[in-house]
Amino acid sequence: DAKTTQPTSMDCAEGRAANLPCNHSTISGNEYVYWYRQIHSQGPQYIIHGLKNNETNEMASLIITEDRKSSTLILPHATLRDTAVYYCIVRGRNSGGSNYKLTFGKGTLLTVNP
Amino acid sequence: DSGVTQTPKHLITATGQRVTLRCSPRSGDLSVYWYQQSLDQGLQFLIQYYNGEERAKGNILERFSAQQFPDLHSELNLSSLELGDSALYFCASSVDPEGRGLYGYTFGSGTRLTVV
């Protein structure tokens, strides 16, 4: 699975959009980009995933660059409850064996300030 | 409530002891994954089961074992416990063996194990 690089931490004002970047320059054609978040000591929560097209759901939007080497998770109107560690994960589509697992890195600690 | 149930929520035990952590997956999910999260290691994948069979293995110690039962609940057994085994243990489930369903992986709220 491709390695991802995320900033260690970011701040965002409540009510503003939070844009969380992720670099995955070694991503291959059949690998998806997943985003999860973990609010302090709770279980990680699935947010969104995509292959090459931009995706949107009720939680967030995922923007993937045309070359697929980076992506941005957008929380359109951040609230205090969005304070969490956000993980960007790249994983193969037709993985086999141990690649079924999601490999979590250190993620980005997003702090939403009042 | 994510639909994945983990018990107990907290567990305190002594070194050398054995404990069993239990996980009930979300209704309809056939695949169960176990993760360990300690302060210095982040989330580490331990093992995956799909419909009763072991599917993938990660950094799971030989002192640890797991199984998935016919009703699809899973248990993680930790034996000869050491201080370093203190961590949060999370269970996740997914409908398919690759976790590529609509909801990806659904995680439980975890079991906090403290070894003293």
Side-chain angles (χ1 to χ4, degrees):
Chain A
D1 293 337
K3 183 178 177 179
T4 62
T5 303
Q6 299 178 254
T8 302
S9 63
M10 294 182 62
D11 286 323
C12 177
E14 188 177 19
R16 304 296 293 269
N19 297 281
L20 292 95
C22 179
N23 286 321
H24 30 80
S25 58
T26 59
I27 193 170
S28 60
N30 65 351
E31 290 183 314
Y32 282 75
V33 179
Y34 289 80
W35 283 85
Y36 282 76
R37 74 179 182 183
Q38 186 175 24
I39 298 170
H40 181 63
S41 294
Q42 296 181 21
Q45 178 188 23
Y46 166 81
I47 301 173
I48 199 168
H49 75 278
L51 182 62
K52 54 184 178 181
N53 297 321
N54 298 337
E55 302 288 345
T56 296
N57 63 21
E58 64 279 3
M59 289 184 68
S61 295
L62 174 60
I63 308 298
I64 303 174
T65 58
E66 193 170 342
D67 63 8
R68 304 206 326 118
K69 293 185 177 182
S70 66
S71 60
T72 301
L73 178 74
I74 301 172
L75 308 178
H77 304 288
T79 71
L80 298 179
R81 289 178 296 178
D82 292 322
T83 293
V85 176
Y86 288 76
Y87 298 98
C88 169
I89 302 165
V90 172
R91 196 187 67 168
R93 178 178 185 178
N94 293 311
S95 300
S98 63
N99 284 337
Y100 284 125
K101 66 184 187 297
L102 283 177
T103 301
F104 289 82
K106 296 191 180 300
T108 296
L109 172 60
L110 174 69
T111 302
V112 180
N113 300 304
Chain B
D1 181 8
S2 67
V4 176
T5 304
Q6 289 190 248
T7 56
K9 292 193 182 305
H10 302 277
L11 197 51
I12 301 175
T13 190
T15 55
Q17 294 298 305
R18 171 190 170 94
V19 297
T20 298
L21 312 184
R22 181 187 171 101
C23 170
S24 294
R26 199 168 60 104
S27 178
D29 285 356
L30 300 177
S31 196
V32 170
Y33 313 78
W34 285 97
Y35 280 80
Q36 178 193 55
Q37 185 173 36
S38 55
L39 281 175
D40 57 346
Q41 291 291 326
L43 276 158
Q44 299 289 317
F45 169 74
L46 296 178
I47 198 164
Q48 177 201 3
Y49 281 82
Y50 176 71
N51 205 19
E53 295 188 0
E54 182 182 305
R55 194 71 176 234
K57 220 167 189 177
N59 302 320
I60 187 166
L61 300 173
E62 286 190 10
R63 301 183 284 109
F64 296 0
S65 65
Q67 54 184 326
Q68 185 179 27
F69 295 86
D71 67 352
L72 301 177
H73 91 271
S74 178
E75 293 180 356
L76 179 67
N77 299 297
L78 315 176
S79 62
S80 302
L81 285 167
E82 302 174 358
L83 295 178
D85 297 327
S86 295
L88 272 167
Y89 290 84
F90 290 105
C91 167
S93 71
S94 65
V95 64
D96 61 287
E98 297 185 1
R100 291 189 290 111
L102 181 63
Y103 302 105
Y105 285 27
T106 302
F107 281 81
S109 57
T111 293
R112 182 177 293 279
L113 173 66
T114 303
V115 182
V116 297

